[in-house]
Amino acid sequence: MAALSAKTIQNAFLAQDDTRSRHNTRHACDFCTLNTRSMHSFQGCRLTLADTAKWLNTTSTAWISFRKQANVSFNATQGTSAVSSSEKVDFLKLQNGSDIRGVAIAGVEGEPVNITEPGTEAISAAFAEWLLNKKKADGLRRLRISVGHDSRISAHKLQNAVTHGITAAGHDVLQFGLASTPAMFNSTLTEDEIHHCPADGGIMITASHLPYNRNGFKFFTSDGGLNKADIKDILERASRLYEESAHGGKQEQTGVVTTVDYMSIYASDLVKAVRTSAGNKEKPLEGLHIVVDAGNGAGGFFVDKVLKPLGAVTSGSQFLEPDGLFPNHIPNPEDKAAMEAITQAVLNNKADLGIIFDTDVDRSAAVDSSGRELNRNRLIALMSAIVLEEHPGTTVVTDSVTSDGLSAFIENKLGGKHHRFKRGYKNVIDEAIRLNSAGEESHLAMETSGHGALKENHWLDDGAYLMVKLLNKLAGARTLNPNIGSKVLTDLVEGLEDAAVTAEIRLKIDQSHADLKGGSFRDYGESILKHLENVISKDPNLNKAPKNYEGVRVSGYGGWFLLRLSLHDPVLPLNIEAQSKDDAIKLGLAVLAATSEFSALDTTALNKFLQQ
């Protein structure tokens, strides 16, 4: 894709900004000099961007290509808030489970901007207020809040808005710049006063693997990521603060902004972990060829700050440069094109191992030297094997769409317990924490999406830490046999039964259909699931899972299916796994027959699957 890099676009915007700063900065900071209220930075480009585009056209044809492919027309409203601070904003609609997400860049039809700078200032101020309340501190307490972002093209303007919201409330900001989501949580634990840590709380500006025009926020305290109730509380506070601001509100205070190279601190801890596992050898990965695909997100640091200090050869690593347009592939370890890209890089470079991260590095996957993907069920199996060596008999908590083969592998081969729970990484992590508090030992919580959290790592879903656990295994094995490669990892998942056919089919509920009779899509979806249960109970070829926490899970015809209701959308995702296409079709037909009387349910996608 011959698209202009997001970094170039950001630099074009930043070149228009003046050098004045409203913040008292301890160190020089590119982002601190931006004035989000003065119509400079992103907002001040209407008169000068044409000249910038003219200059870019003389140096590259990519500008026109970018305009066409991204369908973005930059103007003053593009980078500014879609609403003024006096307009109404429905903050609660920005909640996405335990995160906040929305549209930050205009230009995509049907997706109006709802993550605005005034709204962002209110949200960040609300987080500071919530944090004060959580710490039971009085209003005179100055908090220290870390702020980082991924590579998205809206990152700079939102970082400015977050910074202003916090400092105007009288609190201090640690700006990390380009960072990973796990690093933001770690900053609340790190004891390093020279680098102004620990932070009282952290904010990560990210929308994971979503398209370039999206963005959002994740929040952390030393207890971990916030839950749904916390996010709702913050958004309600933000709504109030936003209204107060529109009517004059409080007088602004001035907090201090400090830039911190925290990613170097975070990476050094990962390096220490690998060296420790290899008996404190300085370069335990020397001779190993490991390639990384960062998908133009925030994971490029892993090459220079982790692998190279450990002695690994990293030639052939790709898409390490941050680019918020994600021109090469979606930075998502579940994406087929992304996995094909890292697999090809491993094979082309004859590497021992390939590692791929999502945009903000809270998810990851791997590829062995033969090109075999270590993701989804296979990555959970691999991590289970490693963890169960360290903690025999422990319970592994996963999401609801993991395979029957994985259950058999964990319980029959590894001697552990498999606790299949609900979709949603926070649900999985919270369930593992609950089991431990109830007396059932659990050391690993993983989703098939690549989110994985370990008890030893404060139950943080950290894609880099997961890969370090693999590197630990490699480094330890190489102390005994310097010639061993990724086969030591592949051997750990030997015996895992992989399904020949896997599919996820999304069945949409038409909310305007008369069959809903004015009710909610959630009630309608629940009635579909209840009816499916009744039908399945009368079919001798199908068996409902005796223990299930989400939707209806059924085994039969040598495979299984799960029909569940989406957490947020009017959709019933259907997962099917089977050992043959014929068996998969039998399972699909059983679902189709049971749901045929629900006319508001669109089964087009299921019919298409059955006809392939």
Side-chain angles (χ1 to χ4, degrees), residues 249-553:
K250 300 178 183 177
Q251 184 176 355
E252 290 188 3
Q253 303 176 61
T254 304
V256 174
V257 179
T258 307
T259 58
V260 177
D261 178 18
Y262 185 77
M263 288 307 293
S264 293
I265 300 169
Y266 167 76
S268 69
D269 289 340
L270 300 179
V271 169
K272 287 175 190 173
V274 180
R275 286 175 177 159
T276 300
S277 72
N280 295 317
K281 189 176 180 181
E282 181 72 12
K283 295 186 180 294
L285 301 182
E286 193 163 26
L288 271 179
H289 190 171
I290 302 174
V291 296
V292 173
D293 185 326
N296 301 114
F301 78 94
F302 202 78
V303 170
D304 289 333
K305 294 183 183 293
V306 179
L307 293 178
K308 286 183 179 179
L310 292 169
V313 176
T314 60
S315 57
S317 292
Q318 59 193 17
F319 317 140
L320 306 181
E321 180 72 11
D323 188 334
L325 295 176
F326 312 120
N328 295 291
H329 61 69
I330 298 170
N332 180 3
E334 282 193 290
D335 181 67
K336 184 179 179 182
M339 291 307 298
E340 286 175 352
I342 183 60
T343 299
Q344 201 58 51
V346 169
L347 297 176
N348 289 347
N349 292 280
K350 296 182 172 57
D352 296 294
L353 184 70
I355 291 172
I356 186 168
F357 296 113
D358 77 335
T359 317
D360 58 328
V361 202
D362 59 0
R363 295 187 294 142
S364 58
V367 175
D368 72 11
S369 58
S370 70
R372 188 183 190 193
E373 294 178 3
L374 299 170
N375 66 342
R376 297 185 62 80
N377 285 297
R378 211 174 285 159
L379 181 59
I380 298 175
L382 177 55
M383 286 303 304
S384 297
I386 292 171
V387 169
L388 279 158
E389 280 185 357
E390 300 167 348
H391 306 281
T394 195
T395 296
V396 176
V397 182
T398 72
D399 60 335
S400 60
V401 299
T402 47
S403 68
D404 288 348
L406 179 66
S407 290
F409 182 78
I410 291 172
E411 297 186 348
N412 300 337
K413 180 169 184 180
L414 301 180
K417 291 177 65 178
H418 182 200
H419 183 83
R420 188 186 287 117
F421 197 54
K422 300 175 181 178
R423 286 284 274 179
Y425 72 92
K426 198 72 170 66
N427 288 331
V428 174
I429 293 170
D430 287 348
E431 179 67 0
I433 294 171
R434 187 194 67 79
L435 289 178
N436 278 287
S437 64
E440 181 175 343
E441 184 187 75
S442 176
H443 285 267
L444 176 64
M446 281 197 73
E447 259 203 321
T448 49
S449 64
H451 282 286
L454 291 102
K455 184 179 182 181
E456 69 187 51
N457 194 38
H458 311 283
W459 290 119
L460 172 66
D461 52 316
D462 185 342
Y465 193 83
L466 282 187
M467 293 301 103
V468 161
K469 291 294 285 186
L470 305 192
L471 296 179
N472 288 349
K473 194 67 182 175
L474 276 174
R478 284 173 69 81
T479 60
L480 302 176
N481 179 2
N483 298 316
I484 201 164
S486 61
K487 189 175 184 298
V488 68
L489 302 177
T490 307
D491 288 349
L492 287 175
V493 294
E494 192 66 38
L496 173 67
E497 184 179 290
D498 290 321
V501 179
T502 63
E504 180 167 298
I505 304 157
R506 294 172 69 81
L507 309 180
K508 297 180 180 179
I509 297 172
D510 181 357
Q511 297 184 81
S512 62
H513 198 284
D515 203 33
L516 268 70
K517 300 174 182 175
S520 70
F521 77 82
R522 185 160 295 280
D523 290 340
Y524 191 78
E526 293 291 354
S527 66
I528 293 172
L529 295 176
K530 188 64 179 175
H531 181 71
L532 176 63
E533 273 191 272
N534 293 334
V535 172
I536 294 306
S537 66
K538 300 170 185 175
D539 190 329
N541 297 308
L542 300 173
N543 297 296
K544 182 175 175 287
K547 197 172 184 180
N548 189 53
Y549 295 91
E550 183 174 46
V552 179
R553 187 180 177 108

Side-chain angles (χ1 to χ4, degrees), residues 539-591:
D539 190 329
N541 297 308
L542 300 173
N543 297 296
K544 182 175 175 287
K547 197 172 184 180
N548 189 53
Y549 295 91
E550 183 174 46
V552 179
R553 187 180 177 108
V554 174
S555 297
Y557 302 112
W560 61 272
F561 73 76
L562 172 70
L563 186 68
R564 60 187 175 85
L565 189 58
S566 170
L567 295 174
H568 310 293
D569 304 316
V571 172
L572 287 167
L574 171 64
N575 293 85
I576 297 176
E577 287 196 7
Q579 293 306 316
S580 72
K581 185 59 188 286
D582 285 345
D583 289 336
I585 287 174
K586 289 175 184 175
L587 292 169
L589 286 170
V591 176

Side-chain angles (χ1 to χ4, degrees), residues 141-157:
R141 163 82 189 276
R142 280 175 78 113
L143 296 172
R144 200 158 48 181
I145 298 175
S146 57
V147 179
H149 60 77
D150 66 18
S151 59
R152 294 173 181 279
I153 62 176
S154 56
H156 289 194
K157 69 168 184 174

Side-chain angles (χ1 to χ4, degrees), residues 29-273:
C29 173
D30 290 341
F31 305 137
C32 297
T33 62
L34 299 181
N35 188 330
T36 58
R37 290 191 185 277
S38 66
M39 293 299 290
H40 291 287
S41 70
F42 281 80
Q43 302 179 24
C45 299
R46 174 171 285 172
L47 297 178
T48 57
L49 190 57
D51 293 333
T52 305
K54 183 178 179 181
W55 170 75
L56 287 167
N57 272 323
T58 66
T59 58
S60 172
T61 59
W63 177 255
I64 295 173
S65 173
F66 165 74
R67 291 282 297 267
K68 289 178 179 178
Q69 293 177 32
N71 191 28
V72 175
S73 175
F74 286 101
N75 53 44
T77 61
Q78 201 75 37
T80 188
S81 307
V83 296
S84 72
S85 59
S86 62
E87 293 185 42
K88 292 287 185 181
V89 175
D90 191 343
F91 282 90
L92 291 179
K93 284 190 175 180
L94 297 175
Q95 181 163 4
N96 183 63
S98 55
D99 302 339
I100 290 172
R101 287 187 184 171
V103 178
I105 295 290
V108 177
E109 187 176 352
E111 296 187 9
V113 170
N114 58 5
I115 295 282
T116 66
E117 287 155 288
T120 296
E121 292 181 11
I123 289 169
S124 57
F127 174 62
E129 182 181 277
W130 174 90
L131 193 55
L132 269 179
N133 184 66
K134 178 180 173 63
K135 292 180 175 293
K136 295 181 171 55
D138 60 44
L140 299 177
R141 163 82 189 276
R142 280 175 78 113
L143 296 172
R144 200 158 48 181
I145 298 175
S146 57
V147 179
H149 60 77
D150 66 18
S151 59
R152 294 173 181 279
I153 62 176
S154 56
H156 289 194
K157 69 168 184 174
L158 294 185
Q159 182 177 240
N160 294 332
V162 167
T163 297
H164 183 258
I166 294 169
T167 56
H171 303 292
D172 298 339
V173 170
L174 306 177
Q175 283 193 342
F176 293 172
L178 186 71
S180 71
T181 291
M184 301 313 298
F185 169 60
N186 272 14
S187 73
T188 68
L189 303 175
T190 300
E191 297 285 346
D192 186 344
E193 194 56 40
I194 293 176
H195 293 94
H196 312 284
C197 290
D200 293 297
I203 300 177
M204 178 65 180
I205 304 167
T206 182
S208 189
H209 61 281
L210 294 181
Y212 77 94
N213 65 322
R214 310 292 184 86
N215 219 326
F217 311 100
K218 295 182 179 181
F219 303 90
F220 298 95
T221 70
S222 57
D223 293 330
L226 273 57
N227 59 36
K228 293 177 184 178
D230 296 329
I231 297 300
K232 184 172 183 288
D233 186 351
I234 287 170
L235 288 172
E236 287 172 344
R237 291 171 185 265
S239 181
R240 173 179 53 76
L241 292 172
Y242 188 83
E243 289 299 318
E244 289 176 359
S245 175
H247 294 94
K250 300 178 183 177
Q251 184 176 355
E252 290 188 3
Q253 303 176 61
T254 304
V256 174
V257 179
T258 307
T259 58
V260 177
D261 178 18
Y262 185 77
M263 288 307 293
S264 293
I265 300 169
Y266 167 76
S268 69
D269 289 340
L270 300 179
V271 169
K272 287 175 190 173

